[in-house]
Short mmCIF file of all heavy atoms in Angstrom, two decimals:
data_model
loop_
_atom_site.label_atom_id
_atom_site.label_comp_id
_atom_site.label_asym_id
_atom_site.label_seq_id
_atom_site.Cartn_x
_atom_site.Cartn_y
_atom_site.Cartn_z
N MET A 21 -11.53 -4.51 -2.37
CA MET A 21 -10.43 -3.69 -2.59
C MET A 21 -9.25 -4.56 -3.11
O MET A 21 -9.06 -5.58 -2.65
CB MET A 21 -10.01 -3.07 -1.28
CG MET A 21 -8.68 -2.26 -1.34
SD MET A 21 -8.24 -1.41 0.08
CE MET A 21 -9.31 0.00 -0.06
N LYS A 22 -8.55 -3.97 -4.14
CA LYS A 22 -7.46 -4.70 -4.80
C LYS A 22 -6.15 -4.33 -4.01
O LYS A 22 -5.85 -3.18 -3.84
CB LYS A 22 -7.38 -4.29 -6.25
CG LYS A 22 -6.42 -5.16 -7.02
CD LYS A 22 -6.44 -4.81 -8.45
CE LYS A 22 -7.53 -5.47 -9.20
NZ LYS A 22 -7.36 -5.36 -10.66
N ARG A 23 -5.42 -5.31 -3.67
CA ARG A 23 -4.09 -5.25 -3.05
C ARG A 23 -3.04 -6.16 -3.56
O ARG A 23 -3.49 -7.24 -4.02
CB ARG A 23 -4.20 -5.46 -1.54
CG ARG A 23 -5.10 -4.37 -0.84
CD ARG A 23 -5.18 -4.59 0.56
NE ARG A 23 -6.13 -3.64 1.17
CZ ARG A 23 -6.20 -3.20 2.41
NH1 ARG A 23 -5.28 -3.75 3.20
NH2 ARG A 23 -7.06 -2.45 2.83
N ALA A 24 -1.84 -5.85 -3.43
CA ALA A 24 -0.73 -6.74 -3.80
C ALA A 24 0.05 -7.17 -2.66
O ALA A 24 0.34 -6.42 -1.72
CB ALA A 24 0.18 -5.93 -4.86
N TYR A 25 0.49 -8.41 -2.66
CA TYR A 25 1.27 -9.03 -1.59
C TYR A 25 2.39 -9.77 -2.20
O TYR A 25 2.34 -10.49 -3.26
CB TYR A 25 0.40 -10.00 -0.79
CG TYR A 25 -0.81 -9.36 -0.18
CD1 TYR A 25 -2.03 -9.38 -0.84
CD2 TYR A 25 -0.69 -8.81 1.03
CE1 TYR A 25 -3.16 -8.80 -0.26
CE2 TYR A 25 -1.79 -8.12 1.65
CZ TYR A 25 -3.07 -8.13 1.02
OH TYR A 25 -4.08 -7.59 1.53
N LYS A 26 3.53 -9.72 -1.58
CA LYS A 26 4.81 -10.37 -1.99
C LYS A 26 4.74 -11.90 -1.47
O LYS A 26 4.32 -12.01 -0.36
CB LYS A 26 5.96 -9.65 -1.43
CG LYS A 26 7.38 -10.36 -1.65
CD LYS A 26 7.79 -9.99 -3.10
CE LYS A 26 9.11 -10.62 -3.36
NZ LYS A 26 9.36 -10.96 -4.70
N LEU A 27 5.05 -12.75 -2.31
CA LEU A 27 5.12 -14.16 -1.98
C LEU A 27 6.59 -14.61 -1.73
O LEU A 27 7.38 -14.58 -2.81
CB LEU A 27 4.42 -14.97 -3.00
CG LEU A 27 3.02 -14.73 -3.28
CD1 LEU A 27 2.50 -15.57 -4.46
CD2 LEU A 27 2.14 -14.81 -2.11
N GLU A 28 6.99 -14.87 -0.49
CA GLU A 28 8.38 -15.32 -0.33
C GLU A 28 8.44 -16.90 -0.53
O GLU A 28 7.57 -17.54 0.03
CB GLU A 28 8.80 -14.89 1.10
CG GLU A 28 9.14 -13.40 1.20
CD GLU A 28 9.82 -13.14 2.57
OE1 GLU A 28 10.03 -14.01 3.36
OE2 GLU A 28 10.12 -11.96 2.76
N ASN A 29 9.44 -17.37 -1.10
CA ASN A 29 9.74 -18.81 -1.25
C ASN A 29 8.82 -19.40 -2.25
O ASN A 29 8.52 -20.64 -2.17
CB ASN A 29 9.70 -19.54 0.13
CG ASN A 29 10.69 -18.92 1.12
OD1 ASN A 29 11.80 -18.59 0.77
ND2 ASN A 29 10.25 -18.76 2.33
N LEU A 30 8.28 -18.71 -3.23
CA LEU A 30 7.49 -19.34 -4.25
C LEU A 30 8.43 -19.93 -5.31
O LEU A 30 9.25 -19.28 -5.90
CB LEU A 30 6.66 -18.23 -5.06
CG LEU A 30 5.73 -18.67 -6.13
CD1 LEU A 30 4.65 -19.73 -5.66
CD2 LEU A 30 5.03 -17.56 -6.75
N GLY A 31 8.34 -21.26 -5.38
CA GLY A 31 9.39 -22.01 -6.20
C GLY A 31 8.78 -22.78 -7.39
O GLY A 31 9.60 -23.46 -8.03
N CYS A 32 7.50 -22.76 -7.62
CA CYS A 32 6.90 -23.67 -8.59
C CYS A 32 5.80 -22.96 -9.34
O CYS A 32 4.81 -22.53 -8.69
CB CYS A 32 6.46 -24.95 -7.89
SG CYS A 32 5.37 -26.04 -8.95
N ALA A 33 5.91 -22.85 -10.66
CA ALA A 33 4.82 -22.10 -11.47
C ALA A 33 3.53 -22.94 -11.43
O ALA A 33 2.50 -22.34 -11.34
CB ALA A 33 5.30 -21.86 -12.86
N ASN A 34 3.60 -24.27 -11.53
CA ASN A 34 2.50 -25.10 -11.42
C ASN A 34 1.71 -24.96 -10.14
O ASN A 34 0.50 -24.88 -10.12
CB ASN A 34 2.76 -26.57 -11.70
CG ASN A 34 1.62 -27.41 -11.88
OD1 ASN A 34 0.68 -27.03 -12.52
ND2 ASN A 34 1.69 -28.62 -11.33
N CYS A 35 2.46 -24.91 -9.03
CA CYS A 35 1.87 -24.66 -7.67
C CYS A 35 1.19 -23.29 -7.64
O CYS A 35 0.14 -23.21 -7.10
CB CYS A 35 2.94 -24.79 -6.64
SG CYS A 35 3.63 -26.44 -6.51
N ALA A 36 1.86 -22.28 -8.21
CA ALA A 36 1.26 -21.01 -8.18
C ALA A 36 -0.14 -20.98 -8.93
O ALA A 36 -1.04 -20.33 -8.47
CB ALA A 36 2.20 -19.99 -8.89
N ALA A 37 -0.27 -21.61 -9.99
CA ALA A 37 -1.48 -21.73 -10.73
C ALA A 37 -2.58 -22.44 -9.95
O ALA A 37 -3.72 -22.01 -9.95
CB ALA A 37 -1.26 -22.44 -12.02
N LYS A 38 -2.21 -23.52 -9.13
CA LYS A 38 -3.07 -24.18 -8.33
C LYS A 38 -3.60 -23.33 -7.19
O LYS A 38 -4.80 -23.20 -6.78
CB LYS A 38 -2.56 -25.46 -7.84
CG LYS A 38 -2.25 -26.57 -8.90
CD LYS A 38 -1.60 -27.74 -8.29
CE LYS A 38 -1.35 -28.74 -9.36
NZ LYS A 38 -0.58 -29.89 -8.78
N MET A 39 -2.61 -22.56 -6.60
CA MET A 39 -2.96 -21.66 -5.49
C MET A 39 -3.92 -20.59 -6.03
O MET A 39 -4.94 -20.20 -5.32
CB MET A 39 -1.66 -20.93 -4.96
CG MET A 39 -0.80 -21.80 -4.14
SD MET A 39 0.61 -20.78 -3.55
CE MET A 39 1.88 -21.78 -4.22
N GLU A 40 -3.68 -20.02 -7.15
CA GLU A 40 -4.42 -18.92 -7.75
C GLU A 40 -5.92 -19.48 -7.91
O GLU A 40 -6.89 -18.75 -7.52
CB GLU A 40 -3.85 -18.51 -9.13
CG GLU A 40 -4.72 -17.50 -9.75
CD GLU A 40 -4.10 -17.00 -11.15
OE1 GLU A 40 -3.00 -16.42 -11.09
OE2 GLU A 40 -4.70 -17.33 -12.14
N LYS A 41 -6.06 -20.66 -8.45
CA LYS A 41 -7.37 -21.24 -8.60
C LYS A 41 -8.15 -21.40 -7.31
O LYS A 41 -9.31 -20.91 -7.21
CB LYS A 41 -7.29 -22.58 -9.37
CG LYS A 41 -8.66 -23.23 -9.60
CD LYS A 41 -8.39 -24.50 -10.34
CE LYS A 41 -9.70 -25.20 -10.67
NZ LYS A 41 -9.99 -26.24 -9.73
N ASP A 42 -7.46 -21.99 -6.36
CA ASP A 42 -8.09 -22.23 -5.02
C ASP A 42 -8.44 -20.91 -4.29
O ASP A 42 -9.49 -20.76 -3.69
CB ASP A 42 -7.23 -23.09 -4.16
CG ASP A 42 -7.16 -24.54 -4.56
OD1 ASP A 42 -7.83 -24.90 -5.56
OD2 ASP A 42 -6.35 -25.29 -4.04
N ILE A 43 -7.53 -19.91 -4.35
CA ILE A 43 -7.85 -18.65 -3.70
C ILE A 43 -8.92 -17.96 -4.32
O ILE A 43 -9.73 -17.33 -3.67
CB ILE A 43 -6.48 -17.76 -3.62
CG1 ILE A 43 -5.43 -18.52 -2.70
CG2 ILE A 43 -6.77 -16.35 -3.08
CD1 ILE A 43 -4.09 -17.88 -2.82
N SER A 44 -9.10 -18.03 -5.64
CA SER A 44 -10.08 -17.38 -6.33
C SER A 44 -11.52 -17.90 -6.01
O SER A 44 -12.42 -17.13 -6.10
CB SER A 44 -9.92 -17.53 -7.91
OG SER A 44 -8.78 -16.91 -8.35
N ASN A 45 -11.51 -19.09 -5.54
CA ASN A 45 -12.81 -19.76 -5.11
C ASN A 45 -13.21 -19.53 -3.66
O ASN A 45 -14.23 -19.86 -3.29
CB ASN A 45 -12.73 -21.26 -5.35
CG ASN A 45 -12.66 -21.56 -6.86
OD1 ASN A 45 -13.24 -20.85 -7.65
ND2 ASN A 45 -12.00 -22.66 -7.20
N LEU A 46 -12.36 -18.74 -2.99
CA LEU A 46 -12.74 -18.38 -1.61
C LEU A 46 -13.87 -17.47 -1.44
O LEU A 46 -14.03 -16.55 -2.31
CB LEU A 46 -11.52 -17.77 -0.79
CG LEU A 46 -10.38 -18.78 -0.48
CD1 LEU A 46 -9.23 -17.93 0.11
CD2 LEU A 46 -10.84 -19.79 0.45
N SER A 47 -14.76 -17.50 -0.43
CA SER A 47 -15.80 -16.61 -0.26
C SER A 47 -15.24 -15.23 0.03
O SER A 47 -14.36 -15.13 0.81
CB SER A 47 -16.64 -17.17 0.93
OG SER A 47 -17.67 -16.19 1.17
N GLY A 48 -15.79 -14.24 -0.65
CA GLY A 48 -15.29 -12.86 -0.42
C GLY A 48 -14.21 -12.42 -1.35
O GLY A 48 -13.86 -11.28 -1.39
N VAL A 49 -13.80 -13.36 -2.21
CA VAL A 49 -12.75 -13.00 -3.21
C VAL A 49 -13.41 -12.70 -4.55
O VAL A 49 -14.13 -13.54 -5.10
CB VAL A 49 -11.69 -14.19 -3.42
CG1 VAL A 49 -10.70 -13.77 -4.52
CG2 VAL A 49 -10.95 -14.36 -2.07
N ASN A 50 -13.12 -11.47 -5.10
CA ASN A 50 -13.59 -11.14 -6.46
C ASN A 50 -12.62 -11.73 -7.51
O ASN A 50 -13.12 -12.20 -8.57
CB ASN A 50 -13.75 -9.56 -6.56
CG ASN A 50 -14.71 -9.08 -5.50
OD1 ASN A 50 -15.72 -9.63 -5.26
ND2 ASN A 50 -14.39 -7.92 -4.91
N SER A 51 -11.33 -11.61 -7.22
CA SER A 51 -10.38 -12.17 -8.13
C SER A 51 -9.05 -12.30 -7.43
O SER A 51 -8.77 -11.64 -6.48
CB SER A 51 -10.16 -11.27 -9.36
OG SER A 51 -9.54 -10.05 -9.03
N ALA A 52 -8.25 -13.25 -7.96
CA ALA A 52 -6.86 -13.52 -7.41
C ALA A 52 -6.04 -13.87 -8.56
O ALA A 52 -6.35 -14.74 -9.39
CB ALA A 52 -6.94 -14.65 -6.36
N ARG A 53 -4.85 -13.29 -8.60
CA ARG A 53 -3.97 -13.49 -9.70
C ARG A 53 -2.52 -13.60 -9.00
O ARG A 53 -2.11 -12.82 -8.20
CB ARG A 53 -3.74 -12.42 -10.69
CG ARG A 53 -5.10 -12.21 -11.46
CD ARG A 53 -5.26 -13.31 -12.57
NE ARG A 53 -6.59 -13.21 -13.08
CZ ARG A 53 -7.51 -14.11 -12.90
NH1 ARG A 53 -7.37 -15.06 -12.13
NH2 ARG A 53 -8.71 -14.00 -13.47
N ILE A 54 -1.76 -14.68 -9.38
CA ILE A 54 -0.43 -14.90 -8.96
C ILE A 54 0.48 -14.72 -10.08
O ILE A 54 0.34 -15.42 -11.06
CB ILE A 54 -0.22 -16.21 -8.14
CG1 ILE A 54 -1.04 -16.25 -6.89
CG2 ILE A 54 1.23 -16.48 -7.89
CD1 ILE A 54 -0.96 -17.51 -6.15
N ASN A 55 1.46 -13.87 -9.98
CA ASN A 55 2.45 -13.62 -11.04
C ASN A 55 3.75 -14.40 -10.52
O ASN A 55 4.42 -13.95 -9.59
CB ASN A 55 2.74 -12.21 -11.32
CG ASN A 55 3.74 -12.03 -12.45
OD1 ASN A 55 4.73 -12.70 -12.56
ND2 ASN A 55 3.37 -11.02 -13.25
N TYR A 56 4.04 -15.53 -11.20
CA TYR A 56 5.19 -16.32 -10.74
C TYR A 56 6.48 -15.60 -10.94
O TYR A 56 7.39 -15.61 -10.09
CB TYR A 56 5.17 -17.65 -11.49
CG TYR A 56 6.39 -18.46 -11.22
CD1 TYR A 56 6.53 -19.15 -9.99
CD2 TYR A 56 7.42 -18.63 -12.14
CE1 TYR A 56 7.63 -19.86 -9.73
CE2 TYR A 56 8.54 -19.39 -11.83
CZ TYR A 56 8.66 -20.03 -10.57
OH TYR A 56 9.73 -20.76 -10.32
N MET A 57 6.67 -14.82 -12.02
CA MET A 57 7.82 -14.12 -12.28
C MET A 57 8.19 -13.06 -11.27
O MET A 57 9.36 -12.83 -10.90
CB MET A 57 7.79 -13.56 -13.71
CG MET A 57 7.72 -14.63 -14.84
SD MET A 57 9.06 -15.79 -14.76
CE MET A 57 10.42 -14.74 -15.38
N THR A 58 7.23 -12.35 -10.76
CA THR A 58 7.38 -11.29 -9.79
C THR A 58 7.15 -11.79 -8.35
O THR A 58 7.37 -10.93 -7.43
CB THR A 58 6.52 -10.07 -10.15
OG1 THR A 58 5.17 -10.43 -10.03
CG2 THR A 58 6.89 -9.55 -11.43
N SER A 59 6.64 -13.02 -8.21
CA SER A 59 6.29 -13.58 -6.94
C SER A 59 5.30 -12.62 -6.23
O SER A 59 5.54 -12.36 -4.98
CB SER A 59 7.58 -13.81 -5.97
OG SER A 59 8.27 -14.75 -6.61
N LYS A 60 4.24 -12.24 -6.88
CA LYS A 60 3.28 -11.42 -6.22
C LYS A 60 1.80 -11.99 -6.43
O LYS A 60 1.49 -12.65 -7.38
CB LYS A 60 3.22 -9.97 -6.83
CG LYS A 60 4.48 -9.20 -6.48
CD LYS A 60 4.25 -7.78 -6.89
CE LYS A 60 5.44 -6.99 -6.40
NZ LYS A 60 5.46 -5.58 -6.80
N LEU A 61 1.01 -11.75 -5.34
CA LEU A 61 -0.41 -12.16 -5.34
C LEU A 61 -1.19 -10.78 -5.41
O LEU A 61 -1.00 -9.85 -4.59
CB LEU A 61 -0.71 -12.86 -3.99
CG LEU A 61 -2.26 -12.98 -3.72
CD1 LEU A 61 -3.00 -13.82 -4.74
CD2 LEU A 61 -2.42 -13.51 -2.37
N ILE A 62 -1.95 -10.69 -6.52
CA ILE A 62 -2.89 -9.53 -6.62
C ILE A 62 -4.27 -10.03 -6.22
O ILE A 62 -4.78 -10.94 -6.88
CB ILE A 62 -2.93 -9.07 -8.08
CG1 ILE A 62 -1.49 -8.75 -8.65
CG2 ILE A 62 -3.79 -7.77 -8.15
CD1 ILE A 62 -0.72 -7.73 -7.93
N LEU A 63 -4.77 -9.55 -5.14
CA LEU A 63 -5.98 -9.99 -4.56
C LEU A 63 -7.06 -8.85 -4.51
O LEU A 63 -6.74 -7.80 -3.97
CB LEU A 63 -5.69 -10.50 -3.14
CG LEU A 63 -6.78 -11.11 -2.30
CD1 LEU A 63 -7.25 -12.41 -2.98
CD2 LEU A 63 -6.33 -11.38 -0.92
N ASP A 64 -8.15 -9.19 -5.07
CA ASP A 64 -9.28 -8.24 -4.99
C ASP A 64 -10.35 -8.97 -4.16
O ASP A 64 -10.94 -9.95 -4.52
CB ASP A 64 -9.84 -7.94 -6.42
CG ASP A 64 -11.00 -6.98 -6.35
OD1 ASP A 64 -11.33 -6.42 -5.32
OD2 ASP A 64 -11.57 -6.65 -7.45
N ALA A 65 -10.53 -8.45 -2.93
CA ALA A 65 -11.48 -9.12 -2.04
C ALA A 65 -12.28 -7.99 -1.26
O ALA A 65 -11.92 -6.87 -1.20
CB ALA A 65 -10.72 -9.95 -0.96
N GLU A 66 -13.39 -8.50 -0.72
CA GLU A 66 -14.28 -7.62 0.13
C GLU A 66 -13.49 -7.20 1.42
O GLU A 66 -12.83 -8.01 2.03
CB GLU A 66 -15.55 -8.35 0.52
CG GLU A 66 -16.36 -8.71 -0.69
CD GLU A 66 -17.52 -9.62 -0.24
OE1 GLU A 66 -17.86 -9.75 0.90
OE2 GLU A 66 -18.10 -10.26 -1.22
N ASP A 67 -13.50 -5.86 1.67
CA ASP A 67 -12.76 -5.32 2.79
C ASP A 67 -13.00 -6.07 4.18
O ASP A 67 -12.20 -6.34 4.89
CB ASP A 67 -13.04 -3.76 2.93
CG ASP A 67 -12.30 -2.95 1.92
OD1 ASP A 67 -11.38 -3.50 1.33
OD2 ASP A 67 -12.72 -1.86 1.75
N GLU A 68 -14.29 -6.31 4.33
CA GLU A 68 -14.69 -6.83 5.66
C GLU A 68 -14.28 -8.29 5.84
O GLU A 68 -14.24 -8.82 6.95
CB GLU A 68 -16.16 -6.76 5.93
CG GLU A 68 -17.15 -7.29 4.92
CD GLU A 68 -17.36 -6.50 3.67
OE1 GLU A 68 -16.97 -5.34 3.65
OE2 GLU A 68 -18.00 -7.06 2.80
N LYS A 69 -13.90 -8.96 4.74
CA LYS A 69 -13.41 -10.33 4.74
C LYS A 69 -11.96 -10.52 4.50
O LYS A 69 -11.49 -11.63 4.45
CB LYS A 69 -14.21 -11.21 3.79
CG LYS A 69 -15.67 -11.39 4.13
CD LYS A 69 -16.33 -12.37 3.23
CE LYS A 69 -17.74 -12.62 3.70
NZ LYS A 69 -18.39 -13.71 2.94
N LEU A 70 -11.22 -9.45 4.31
CA LEU A 70 -9.83 -9.42 3.92
C LEU A 70 -8.95 -10.27 4.86
O LEU A 70 -8.22 -11.13 4.43
CB LEU A 70 -9.26 -8.01 3.83
CG LEU A 70 -7.92 -7.85 3.19
CD1 LEU A 70 -7.92 -8.55 1.81
CD2 LEU A 70 -7.50 -6.51 3.10
N THR A 71 -9.06 -10.03 6.20
CA THR A 71 -8.22 -10.82 7.15
C THR A 71 -8.51 -12.30 7.01
O THR A 71 -7.63 -13.07 7.00
CB THR A 71 -8.60 -10.36 8.62
OG1 THR A 71 -8.33 -8.98 8.68
CG2 THR A 71 -7.72 -11.08 9.58
N GLU A 72 -9.81 -12.69 7.01
CA GLU A 72 -10.22 -14.06 6.86
C GLU A 72 -9.66 -14.67 5.54
O GLU A 72 -9.14 -15.76 5.39
CB GLU A 72 -11.67 -14.20 6.86
CG GLU A 72 -12.21 -15.63 6.70
CD GLU A 72 -13.72 -15.64 6.68
OE1 GLU A 72 -14.39 -14.74 7.24
OE2 GLU A 72 -14.28 -16.66 6.08
N VAL A 73 -9.76 -13.91 4.40
CA VAL A 73 -9.35 -14.36 3.12
C VAL A 73 -7.74 -14.48 3.10
O VAL A 73 -7.30 -15.55 2.59
CB VAL A 73 -9.73 -13.34 1.99
CG1 VAL A 73 -8.94 -13.58 0.76
CG2 VAL A 73 -11.18 -13.39 1.76
N LEU A 74 -7.06 -13.64 3.74
CA LEU A 74 -5.55 -13.80 3.81
C LEU A 74 -5.21 -14.99 4.67
O LEU A 74 -4.20 -15.68 4.28
CB LEU A 74 -4.95 -12.46 4.41
CG LEU A 74 -4.90 -11.27 3.47
CD1 LEU A 74 -4.39 -10.07 4.19
CD2 LEU A 74 -3.93 -11.58 2.21
N ASP A 75 -5.88 -15.24 5.72
CA ASP A 75 -5.61 -16.37 6.58
C ASP A 75 -5.76 -17.70 5.76
O ASP A 75 -4.98 -18.57 5.81
CB ASP A 75 -6.42 -16.41 7.80
CG ASP A 75 -6.04 -15.31 8.84
OD1 ASP A 75 -4.88 -14.85 8.67
OD2 ASP A 75 -6.80 -14.99 9.70
N GLU A 76 -7.00 -17.74 5.05
CA GLU A 76 -7.23 -18.94 4.26
C GLU A 76 -6.28 -19.08 3.11
O GLU A 76 -5.89 -20.16 2.69
CB GLU A 76 -8.70 -18.84 3.73
CG GLU A 76 -9.72 -19.09 4.79
CD GLU A 76 -9.58 -20.50 5.44
OE1 GLU A 76 -9.41 -21.49 4.74
OE2 GLU A 76 -9.59 -20.51 6.80
N SER A 77 -5.93 -17.94 2.38
CA SER A 77 -4.94 -17.88 1.34
C SER A 77 -3.59 -18.53 1.79
O SER A 77 -2.97 -19.20 1.08
CB SER A 77 -4.74 -16.48 0.84
OG SER A 77 -5.91 -16.01 0.25
N GLN A 78 -3.23 -18.19 3.02
CA GLN A 78 -1.93 -18.69 3.51
C GLN A 78 -1.97 -20.18 3.72
O GLN A 78 -1.06 -20.90 3.39
CB GLN A 78 -1.56 -17.95 4.87
CG GLN A 78 -0.25 -18.38 5.48
CD GLN A 78 0.93 -17.97 4.67
OE1 GLN A 78 1.13 -16.81 4.43
NE2 GLN A 78 1.71 -18.93 4.16
N LYS A 79 -3.09 -20.68 4.25
CA LYS A 79 -3.30 -22.11 4.38
C LYS A 79 -3.29 -22.81 3.04
O LYS A 79 -2.66 -23.89 2.89
CB LYS A 79 -4.63 -22.46 5.08
CG LYS A 79 -4.66 -22.03 6.58
CD LYS A 79 -5.99 -22.37 7.09
CE LYS A 79 -6.09 -21.76 8.53
NZ LYS A 79 -7.49 -21.76 9.08
N ILE A 80 -3.96 -22.24 1.96
CA ILE A 80 -3.87 -22.83 0.64
C ILE A 80 -2.48 -22.82 0.11
O ILE A 80 -2.04 -23.85 -0.41
CB ILE A 80 -4.82 -22.03 -0.26
CG1 ILE A 80 -6.29 -22.31 0.12
CG2 ILE A 80 -4.60 -22.38 -1.71
CD1 ILE A 80 -7.29 -21.41 -0.44
N ALA A 81 -1.81 -21.74 0.22
CA ALA A 81 -0.47 -21.64 -0.28
C ALA A 81 0.47 -22.64 0.33
O ALA A 81 1.28 -23.26 -0.35
CB ALA A 81 0.12 -20.21 -0.06
N ASN A 82 0.31 -22.92 1.66
CA ASN A 82 1.18 -23.87 2.28
C ASN A 82 0.81 -25.31 2.02
O ASN A 82 1.70 -26.10 2.16
CB ASN A 82 1.12 -23.59 3.86
CG ASN A 82 1.75 -22.34 4.27
OD1 ASN A 82 1.28 -21.61 5.14
ND2 ASN A 82 2.83 -21.95 3.68
N LYS A 83 -0.35 -25.50 1.52
CA LYS A 83 -0.70 -26.83 1.05
C LYS A 83 0.17 -27.25 -0.14
O LYS A 83 0.57 -28.38 -0.25
CB LYS A 83 -2.23 -26.88 0.68
CG LYS A 83 -2.68 -28.24 0.20
CD LYS A 83 -4.19 -28.25 0.13
CE LYS A 83 -4.70 -27.39 -1.09
NZ LYS A 83 -6.12 -27.58 -1.30
N TYR A 84 0.45 -26.31 -0.96
CA TYR A 84 1.30 -26.51 -2.18
C TYR A 84 2.77 -26.20 -2.02
O TYR A 84 3.57 -26.83 -2.60
CB TYR A 84 0.75 -25.69 -3.39
CG TYR A 84 -0.71 -26.07 -3.77
CD1 TYR A 84 -1.73 -25.20 -3.53
CD2 TYR A 84 -0.95 -27.27 -4.42
CE1 TYR A 84 -3.02 -25.59 -3.76
CE2 TYR A 84 -2.22 -27.57 -4.75
CZ TYR A 84 -3.29 -26.77 -4.40
OH TYR A 84 -4.59 -27.15 -4.78
N GLU A 85 3.07 -25.21 -1.26
CA GLU A 85 4.42 -24.80 -1.01
C GLU A 85 4.57 -24.60 0.51
O GLU A 85 4.26 -23.45 0.99
CB GLU A 85 4.72 -23.44 -1.79
CG GLU A 85 4.66 -23.54 -3.25
CD GLU A 85 6.07 -23.67 -3.85
OE1 GLU A 85 7.05 -23.78 -3.04
OE2 GLU A 85 6.17 -23.69 -5.09
N PRO A 86 5.00 -25.56 1.28
CA PRO A 86 5.06 -25.48 2.71
C PRO A 86 5.90 -24.23 3.28
O PRO A 86 5.52 -23.83 4.38
CB PRO A 86 5.70 -26.80 3.07
CG PRO A 86 5.40 -27.72 2.04
CD PRO A 86 5.43 -26.85 0.77
N ASP A 87 6.89 -23.76 2.62
CA ASP A 87 7.64 -22.67 3.06
C ASP A 87 7.23 -21.26 2.62
O ASP A 87 7.87 -20.31 2.96
CB ASP A 87 9.14 -22.92 2.70
CG ASP A 87 9.69 -24.14 3.30
OD1 ASP A 87 9.28 -24.50 4.48
OD2 ASP A 87 10.58 -24.80 2.69
N LEU A 88 6.17 -21.25 1.89
CA LEU A 88 5.67 -19.97 1.28
C LEU A 88 5.12 -19.09 2.38
O LEU A 88 4.42 -19.48 3.19
CB LEU A 88 4.67 -20.16 0.17
CG LEU A 88 4.33 -18.90 -0.57
CD1 LEU A 88 4.24 -19.27 -2.09
CD2 LEU A 88 3.00 -18.31 -0.09
N ILE A 89 5.41 -17.80 2.30
CA ILE A 89 4.98 -16.75 3.15
C ILE A 89 4.28 -15.65 2.41
O ILE A 89 4.92 -15.05 1.51
CB ILE A 89 6.03 -16.19 4.09
CG1 ILE A 89 6.66 -17.30 4.92
CG2 ILE A 89 5.51 -15.11 4.98
CD1 ILE A 89 7.92 -16.93 5.63
N ILE A 90 3.02 -15.32 2.69
CA ILE A 90 2.41 -14.10 2.13
C ILE A 90 2.78 -12.93 3.01
O ILE A 90 2.27 -12.93 4.18
CB ILE A 90 0.87 -14.36 2.00
CG1 ILE A 90 0.52 -15.51 1.09
CG2 ILE A 90 0.25 -13.10 1.42
CD1 ILE A 90 -0.95 -15.90 1.04
N LYS A 91 3.50 -12.04 2.46
CA LYS A 91 3.92 -10.81 3.27
C LYS A 91 2.75 -9.77 3.25
O LYS A 91 2.40 -9.29 2.20
CB LYS A 91 5.19 -10.20 2.69
CG LYS A 91 6.41 -11.09 2.67
CD LYS A 91 6.81 -11.40 4.11
CE LYS A 91 7.91 -10.53 4.51
NZ LYS A 91 8.39 -10.79 5.79
N LYS A 92 2.25 -9.57 4.39
CA LYS A 92 1.11 -8.65 4.53
C LYS A 92 1.58 -7.21 4.84
O LYS A 92 2.58 -7.01 5.27
CB LYS A 92 0.20 -9.13 5.67
CG LYS A 92 -0.30 -10.48 5.37
CD LYS A 92 -1.10 -11.10 6.57
CE LYS A 92 -1.41 -12.47 6.35
NZ LYS A 92 -1.65 -13.16 7.53
#
């Protein structure tokens, strides 16, 4: 299922690209796109793995941007 999430405190376009790449490689993710200009994550993931994917996505995001929050 495809969903959009607001990214708070996204401050670096290069970091956003790295996050997008890493999140796209997670198990259960069909696609992930981060729009730096709108600070949104568009995530297409399997419904049954969505909670796990979001938790892992938050960890990935914090590796690059320690203050970033994915608003669920």
Side-chain angles (χ1 to χ4, degrees):
M21 173 175 282
K22 191 179 270 191
R23 295 182 185 204
Y25 300 93
K26 178 77 176 151
L27 302 176
E28 285 190 1
N29 304 318
L30 179 62
C32 171
N34 187 42
C35 296
K38 291 176 184 178
M39 284 181 237
E40 180 180 292
K41 181 178 180 259
D42 289 355
I43 293 170
S44 293
N45 290 328
L46 289 174
S47 176
V49 174
N50 300 319
S51 69
R53 297 284 170 251
I54 294 179
N55 185 318
Y56 175 72
M57 296 302 289
T58 61
S59 295
K60 286 192 179 175
L61 165 65
I62 308 298
L63 185 64
D64 184 5
E66 298 171 14
D67 285 343
E68 59 275 356
K69 292 190 174 186
L70 188 60
T71 301
E72 178 184 333
V73 166
L74 284 172
D75 290 343
E76 288 301 312
S77 296
Q78 183 66 62
K79 290 177 188 174
I80 289 168
N82 291 142
K83 182 169 71 172
Y84 297 106
E85 295 263 2
D87 296 330
L88 187 137
I89 300 167
I90 300 174
K91 297 296 262 181
K92 300 172 188 160

